Amino acid sequence: MSDAFDRDGDESVTGDGRDAPVQERTFAALPPARGRGFAETWWGRAWLKALEDTALDGQQLKQGRRFAREGRVGALSVRPGRITAVVRDRDSSAYRSDVLLQELSEADWERFLDMAAARAGYIAALLDREMPPHLVEDAAAAGMELLPGIGDLDPECTCGTWDHCPHTAALCYQVARLMDENPFVLLLVRGRGERRLLGELQERIAARAEGWAPSGSAVSCDGSGGSAEKAKDRGVRADEAFAARDILPPLPAPPPLPAEPGPAPSLGTETEPEPGVDPSALELLARDGAARAHRMLADALSPGHEQQPPPAGLTPQQDAVRLVADARPEPWIATRLAVGSGRSRAGLDAAVRAWQYGGAAALTVLDEEWTPDPQTLARARAGLAAAWEEGEQPRLRSAGNRWTSVDGGVQLRYGRDGRWWPYRKESGRWVPAGPADDDPAAALGGPCGSDG
């Protein structure tokens, strides 16, 4: 049955630009309803209750139910205040039947829209084709009856019957089926089609996000009264923003990537800095922050960025090394960073070299000495044995995760990720000599091969 709603339920909006647009939806004739009820939702049953409590002749209702079950109701035209269809008797006589329902006033709609926009659950339910009971109750408490009551469904039929006849009854039963699938049918009869209603809700939600109320609305965005300034201070709840995701406009296109980071501010002023504050160091941090922001933006705009895991955070000691490697500060600033990170100046130089070869992973290999478990040690030794032809393997002595050549000043360090990092000795200190490699021979034969 849902195909009929999707195929023929398009909403047409016409108007001359001066008056409110005329809204109308036409639904294809529904198939026979043998073996099923006409209303399964609580709002569909409420619609039928209004019919059955109003009709004076129970036999007319029974005949109308039969007509609806047999599929004798043609295409349904739904517009504010009126639903129309052609209904055929069993002798094939055709009658135009209408059911009229009073529209809500503009003031009523203003209150309804304010209430719906202020509650995330109301919007989400409507978009899921549900009529929230609390929305109907809140509307009734504010003087707006969304669902019809006794006497609200006013029949008109070319058969001439003044009360509900079998034709208008059949029409009402089919309308209940429509409302089961789409409660916006009820709201359209009351005066607002789906497209217009969602557009006005979108306007109110956007107004809440910007902190002002739309003109003509005497009620604050949360339905409780108050100024636009208060709404701005409150902001928008996360659940409201999530519920409105399907009616809000799409996000704008990402901004283009600037060609380079923005310039850092100059802090050289006539005002003396506070004790312990160094303007040169602050300018360095500002330049570094701008460069990092530029790299992060470039990464965020790259294809597939949303599929990548977030990068691991750095410790303060690691970030000090990164700052020296990236920003290349003056020597006195580098010395301060070395002290702050717990390294000597020579140790900082070695750490910067490690960072340049492999970032935080290379720093870990520089600083950490660990003992592989038997399985890890067996894998490392197998890798070493397979890396060289017989008789060509250098003589290496092992200590923990480090294999040092006995013939020269080179070393291989085995990382916890299974990669090999080359080192060489300079001025009595082991320093990184190149990037990591899965092949220990390739690692040794790279930057430090000529020194072995």
Side-chain angles (χ1 to χ4, degrees):
M1 183 174 65
S2 59
D3 290 343
F5 296 99
D6 296 337
R7 183 177 66 252
D8 297 315
D10 293 336
E11 178 181 332
S12 61
V13 182
T14 61
D16 60 6
R18 293 186 299 272
D19 302 322
V22 176
Q23 306 165 96
E24 183 174 355
R25 295 192 69 172
T26 301
F27 296 90
L30 301 181
R34 298 185 179 92
R36 56 153 289 164
F38 286 99
E40 297 176 356
T41 62
W42 71 270
W43 60 89
R45 290 193 293 269
W47 172 273
L48 290 184
K49 186 176 188 306
L51 165 69
E52 293 164 356
D53 288 349
T54 300
L56 299 178
D57 190 339
Q59 292 302 317
Q60 302 275 54
L61 289 182
K62 290 181 181 179
Q63 189 174 353
R65 279 197 299 271
R66 286 197 297 269
F67 284 179
R69 287 194 184 281
E70 294 168 0
R72 297 184 176 278
V73 181
L76 289 87
S77 171
V78 184
R79 55 193 181 278
R82 183 181 293 266
I83 302 173
T84 304
V86 172
V87 183
R88 295 186 178 276
D89 272 338
R90 289 181 172 174
D91 64 1
S92 297
S93 300
Y95 301 93
R96 168 177 167 151
S97 299
D98 295 81
V99 175
L100 283 63
L101 182 64
Q102 185 175 354
E103 299 179 50
L104 297 178
S105 68
E106 287 300 314
D108 288 339
W109 277 112
E110 288 295 317
R111 293 198 299 274
F112 175 87
L113 291 165
D114 284 330
M115 285 190 302
R119 295 288 186 91
Y122 291 168
I123 300 171
L126 288 173
L127 291 172
D128 286 339
R129 298 297 190 255
E130 296 282 339
M131 178 66 74
H134 293 305
L135 175 58
V136 176
E137 294 171 2
D138 290 348
M144 298 170 287
E145 295 293 342
L146 294 179
L147 291 167
I150 298 176
D152 289 343
L153 299 180
D154 189 13
E156 289 183 359
C157 187
T158 54
C159 74
T161 303
W162 65 272
D163 186 28
H164 274 287
C165 62
H167 314 109
T168 59
L171 174 57
C172 285
Y173 281 110
Q174 295 293 61
V175 170
R177 294 175 66 187
L178 281 180
M179 289 185 180
D180 262 7
E181 293 282 338
N182 188 352
F184 282 103
V185 171
L186 172 63
L187 299 178
L188 175 55
V189 181
R190 285 298 198 185
R192 284 293 191 279
E194 180 174 354
R195 189 182 304 171
R196 181 179 175 188
L197 180 62
L198 292 181
E200 291 175 341
L201 281 173
Q202 174 181 314
E203 177 186 348
R204 277 165 169 75
I205 293 169
R208 286 169 61 80
E210 295 177 7
W212 52 268
S215 60
S217 175
V219 183
S220 69
C221 290
D222 67 351
S224 61
S227 66
E229 188 62 32
K230 290 181 179 178
K232 183 176 181 180
D233 291 341
R234 282 192 302 271
V236 179
R237 288 170 54 90
D239 56 352
E240 294 178 17
F242 180 77
R245 66 194 183 280
D246 295 325
I247 63 173
L248 288 175
L251 293 175
L257 179 69
E260 57 187 17
S266 175
L267 301 179
T269 65
E270 297 179 357
T271 304
E272 290 295 323
E274 293 292 325
V277 176
D278 191 302
S280 299
L282 286 179
E283 289 178 359
L284 172 71
L285 293 175
R287 288 195 302 273
D288 177 68
R292 293 179 66 192
H294 188 266
R295 288 195 298 270
M296 292 171 67
L297 180 59
D299 185 48
L301 295 176
S302 62
H305 169 72
E306 67 280 1
Q307 304 296 330
Q308 300 300 318
L314 301 179
T315 67
Q317 291 76 17
Q318 290 173 330
D319 198 50
V321 175
R322 179 207 60 79
L323 184 60
V324 175
D326 292 349
R328 300 177 181 178
E330 297 179 24
W332 68 270
I333 295 180
T335 300
R336 287 182 58 182
L337 289 170
V339 173
S341 62
R343 300 178 188 272
S344 66
R345 184 56 197 272
L348 179 63
D349 291 341
V352 167
R353 188 181 299 186
W355 179 271
Q356 292 169 338
Y357 284 134
L363 274 182
T364 300
V365 171
L366 172 70
D367 295 333
E368 181 184 46
E369 184 173 3
W370 55 285
T371 301
D373 59 60
Q375 290 183 340
T376 303
L377 184 60
R379 284 196 300 270
R381 287 174 173 170
L384 287 169
W388 286 273
E389 296 293 336
E390 185 176 353
E392 296 182 358
Q393 180 176 350
R395 289 189 299 159
L396 302 171
R397 63 177 184 270
S398 64
N401 68 318
R402 301 177 181 184
W403 277 260
T404 306
S405 171
V406 298
D407 299 328
V410 295
Q411 185 183 82
L412 283 171
R413 296 189 179 184
Y414 191 62
R416 293 184 183 273
D417 59 359
R419 296 186 298 166
W420 297 91
W421 298 81
Y423 274 69
R424 65 186 170 200
K425 185 169 286 188
E426 294 181 359
S427 302
R429 174 188 295 272
W430 288 108
V431 297
D437 201 297
D438 293 332
D439 183 352
L444 267 188
C448 62
S450 60
D451 296 343

